[in-house]
Amino acid sequence: MIRRPPRSTQSRSSAASDVYKRQVDENGVIAHHFGFFKESYQTRVRKLSMEKAVSPLQSAAETWFERPVGLPRRYDTRKVNASSLPPGSEARVTRVYSFGRRIEGTFTSDDDTALGNAIHAFYVADDHDLPHEDRLGMATDILAAHNADRMMNPEDLVASADRLMEFIKNEWPGAVVWKELPIRLRRQGREVAGVADLVVEREDEFHLMDHKSFPGGMEQCRKRALEYETQVAAYAEALEKATGKRCAGTAIHFPIAGVIVWIG
């Protein structure tokens, strides 16, 4: 479930209807109406289950006609995904925070997409007001649904979310935490789009954080974070224009390494 938490990170008990309206159609498309931007967007979701997931290739083969031989793909060059923006040359690390504990697991690559999607999905759906058993069950189902249950222990995933939220409470008391905010920015005749993983909103400023599943060590994370500077900078620029508030910091959160790296 995607939602905006209540006005304090100390309490998340306010009804979701006070924050946004959500409509689900028969095809599993959720229409979200956020007050933060006074706009709407849609996202497609699927139910979590322990049943074997249908292969994307199989699903595509059953749904779409084959592309005629020789017909080139057409892309709108005016639209750019923020995550595909090239790294900046002047980015630097401004701060590093270590949780003092990394997650051990079986990682198949430096940046496993399935595991990264599972981590993002749990962080979005997680509610710290739920009993631990319910949160653990949700983490278990999400990892299994993404075929990542052999890579990470669900207990570790829940614990990483606890560490992150505890850090936010201590660093920015009383702030509003937004998850998965859709971003669109017009820049130099192009539209840059993406989703901000986590935004911490205060009275006159906000802090922006993006989650990455890279499993490297401290020094490796410092270097890897610089590669995402243009992505989070685009999110920050869009949010500054939309809210009129100042971005006070952009950071990359590496839950596996247990590290947050601020860049600017």
Side-chain angles (χ1 to χ4, degrees):
M1 182 175 64
I2 302 175
R3 67 185 180 95
R4 171 193 174 183
R7 278 289 163 185
S8 171
T9 55
Q10 306 291 334
S11 172
R12 296 164 58 95
S13 59
S14 66
S17 60
D18 294 335
V19 178
Y20 73 96
K21 296 180 180 179
R22 183 180 69 171
Q23 297 176 340
V24 184
D25 68 14
E26 60 184 5
N27 296 317
V29 174
I30 296 183
H32 303 270
H33 308 279
F34 280 96
F36 192 62
F37 293 109
K38 297 182 175 63
E39 294 181 356
S40 304
Y41 77 99
Q42 293 184 338
T43 184
R44 186 171 296 277
V45 298
R46 62 191 172 104
K47 294 182 178 180
L48 297 174
S49 74
M50 297 303 292
E51 298 178 1
K52 184 176 181 180
V54 177
S55 165
L57 293 178
Q58 178 183 345
S59 177
E62 295 173 352
T63 306
W64 305 104
F65 293 104
E66 292 185 4
R67 179 178 298 275
V69 176
L71 181 65
R73 292 183 178 274
R74 298 181 62 185
Y75 297 96
D76 188 343
T77 57
R78 296 170 298 176
K79 295 184 178 180
V80 181
N81 192 306
S83 61
S84 65
L85 293 173
S89 58
E90 299 180 359
R92 62 188 180 88
V93 173
T94 59
R95 178 188 174 190
V96 177
Y97 177 84
S98 174
F99 292 103
R101 179 179 177 181
R102 63 177 287 115
I103 296 176
E104 300 300 333
T106 304
F107 308 116
T108 57
S109 69
D110 284 350
D111 193 11
D112 191 283
T113 301
L115 181 58
N117 289 340
I119 292 173
H120 279 77
F122 177 74
Y123 282 173
V124 170
D126 187 29
D127 187 336
H128 286 72
D129 285 343
L130 292 176
H132 177 75
E133 293 75 15
D134 292 347
R135 296 175 64 212
L136 181 60
M138 181 167 58
T140 301
D141 290 345
I142 288 176
L143 287 170
H146 288 82
N147 296 318
D149 48 328
R150 294 184 180 181
M151 302 180 195
M152 179 181 290
N153 188 312
E155 283 279 8
D156 290 333
L157 181 54
V158 174
S160 72
D162 287 340
R163 289 192 289 270
L164 178 60
M165 186 55 62
E166 187 65 25
F167 171 83
I168 292 173
K169 288 180 179 180
N170 294 331
E171 188 80 3
W172 305 293
V176 176
V177 176
W178 297 80
K179 300 179 180 180
E180 297 286 306
L181 282 180
I183 301 294
R184 292 192 184 278
L185 171 68
R186 293 193 180 279
R187 178 195 283 174
Q188 298 176 348
R190 297 191 303 175
E191 181 181 277
V192 180
V195 177
D197 292 342
L198 191 149
V199 177
V200 181
E201 182 192 6
R202 306 186 75 187
E203 185 175 350
D204 58 352
E205 66 182 22
F206 65 88
H207 299 259
L208 192 147
M209 197 174 295
D210 211 62
H211 311 301
K212 299 298 181 183
S213 59
F214 177 64
M218 173 77 78
E219 289 305 314
Q220 291 176 305
C221 287
R222 289 175 62 100
K223 295 178 180 179
R224 180 60 70 95
L226 297 175
E227 298 179 10
Y228 307 114
E229 189 271 337
T230 51
Q231 176 186 351
V232 293
Y235 294 162
E237 181 182 344
L239 286 171
E240 285 182 334
K241 291 181 177 179
T243 66
K245 297 183 178 182
R246 177 181 67 94
C247 178
T250 55
I252 306 299
H253 171 227
F254 297 96
I256 297 177
V259 172
I260 302 176
V261 181
W262 279 262
I263 50 181

